[in-house]
Amino acid sequence: MTEVDELLARLRKLPAVQLDADFKASVRARARRKVRQAPRPTPFASLAVAATVVLYLGWALRFASGLYR
Amino acid sequence: MSDAPDDHLLALLEQGDARGFDLIYGRYAERVFGFLLRLSRSRPVAEDLFQHTFMRLAEVGPRLRAGSDLRAWLFTVARNAFHSHTRSRGVEARVDVQLMPVPCDAFVRPDLGLALHELERALARLSSSDRELLLLLGVEGLSHAELAAVLELDQVTVRKRVSRARVRLAEALDVDAEVMSHSPVSE
């Protein structure tokens, strides 16, 4: 084993660092809430948005054409 | 479940299942924190960056592509957070190791042998760019390919940088041994 490999082997022996238990739990709780708050859009939601846009544009067109009658 | 592969945990997270987050957190929290603490040499800074890293996981994790290297992703986020922090604070603060007997109070542990104390101290003497390379490769066991992905460099450059960082660590250890042998305080 060369000197440099020995260095890496020594680095690997460095112990893990302990996190403060309260801090660890508080970060976990905050992040967990964020995971739940990020629902993925479903195909139904996308269709509903698209339908709303089409209806709105149709209504706007009808309204605008009504102005020039 | 606790020894499930990272891909499986990412799939849980993708479904908005917080158990996926818990398992990833359980697996990587201490490792990411250790990396940030050794890199920043400051517990408050490491805690801020740690928080940022895992909040980012909660935000972006559900959208990570299947097959993503979760470990490399986490260390990339942590490293980028550290570099943003140092940029916002200006030039990295220089630490005079002669005046600072131990790099960080977190590493003062009675079960830690003298050799490992010296190693912690020598690591703290290095520049942050050398330190991050050696921490990721040596302590975290990332491969050169993973390291190249984290640092956004090609593997040849990474190997050259690692080689130089190893030499500088060996030099820092020699200097440390010299300082310790002339120190009037013995452990």
Side-chain angles (χ1 to χ4, degrees):
Chain A
M1 188 183 271
T2 65
E3 192 185 342
V4 284
D5 291 333
E6 213 173 284
L7 269 181
L8 281 189
R10 281 176 71 182
L11 281 170
R12 210 146 288 179
K13 284 183 193 153
L14 285 177
V17 175
Q18 293 302 307
L19 264 167
D20 175 74
D22 290 341
F23 171 72
K24 187 178 177 184
S26 79
V27 173
R28 178 175 164 268
R30 282 187 51 211
R32 254 180 151 260
R33 280 198 294 275
K34 217 160 199 172
V35 172
R36 285 188 181 147
Q37 281 169 5
R40 292 164 65 79
T42 60
F44 175 75
S46 307
L47 282 175
V49 169
T52 308
V53 169
V54 169
L55 282 175
Y56 173 74
L57 288 175
W59 172 83
L61 191 64
R62 210 172 142 210
F63 179 79
S65 63
L67 292 175
Y68 296 101
R69 264 190 208 146
Chain B
M1 181 71 93
S2 62
D3 51 4
D6 285 356
D7 268 354
H8 182 69
L9 307 185
L10 272 179
L12 284 176
L13 199 57
E14 192 186 2
Q15 291 156 18
D17 187 336
R19 279 178 310 158
F21 179 85
D22 288 346
L23 290 164
I24 294 171
Y25 195 64
R27 187 171 293 175
Y28 289 109
E30 253 87 21
R31 295 173 62 177
V32 170
F33 185 70
F35 169 69
L36 286 169
L37 187 58
R38 288 188 170 105
L39 191 58
S40 67
R41 299 170 297 197
S42 155
R43 186 171 277 271
V45 171
E47 285 182 351
D48 271 0
L49 304 179
F50 171 83
Q51 197 157 215
H52 168 87
T53 303
F54 281 95
M55 294 308 279
R56 194 94 187 105
L57 173 69
E59 271 171 42
V60 180
R63 294 195 298 276
L64 280 179
R65 279 179 296 130
S68 300
D69 185 340
L70 176 62
R71 180 171 68 154
W73 185 86
L74 280 171
F75 283 110
T76 304
V77 173
R79 172 190 177 264
N80 290 346
F82 170 74
H83 285 292
S84 300
H85 169 82
T86 50
R87 267 196 302 275
S88 71
R89 296 280 184 283
V91 181
E92 186 187 359
R94 288 214 163 270
V95 176
D96 189 341
V97 179
Q98 301 273 359
L99 298 175
M100 190 183 67
V102 177
C104 180
D105 62 352
F107 304 123
V108 183
R109 286 179 39 182
D111 57 327
L112 209 61
L114 182 61
L116 290 182
H117 269 306
E118 282 173 17
L119 187 56
E120 293 279 18
R121 197 197 312 256
L123 262 177
R125 293 175 68 92
L126 301 180
S127 68
S128 60
S129 53
D130 283 347
R131 208 159 52 241
E132 69 182 6
L133 280 168
L134 295 171
L135 287 173
L136 291 171
L137 188 75
V139 182
E140 295 308 327
L142 264 66
S143 66
H144 283 90
E146 286 175 310
L147 198 51
V150 170
L151 304 179
E152 293 172 347
L153 294 169
D154 61 89
Q155 284 195 50
V156 177
T157 310
V158 165
R159 282 180 192 280
K160 280 182 191 163
R161 284 198 186 178
V162 165
S163 162
R164 286 197 291 262
R166 281 164 151 182
V167 170
R168 284 193 278 263
L169 179 62
E171 285 168 0
L173 276 166
D174 282 348
V175 170
D176 239 24
E178 218 167 279
V179 170
M180 294 293 282
S181 67
H182 290 100
S183 168
V185 182
S186 58
E187 300 217 11

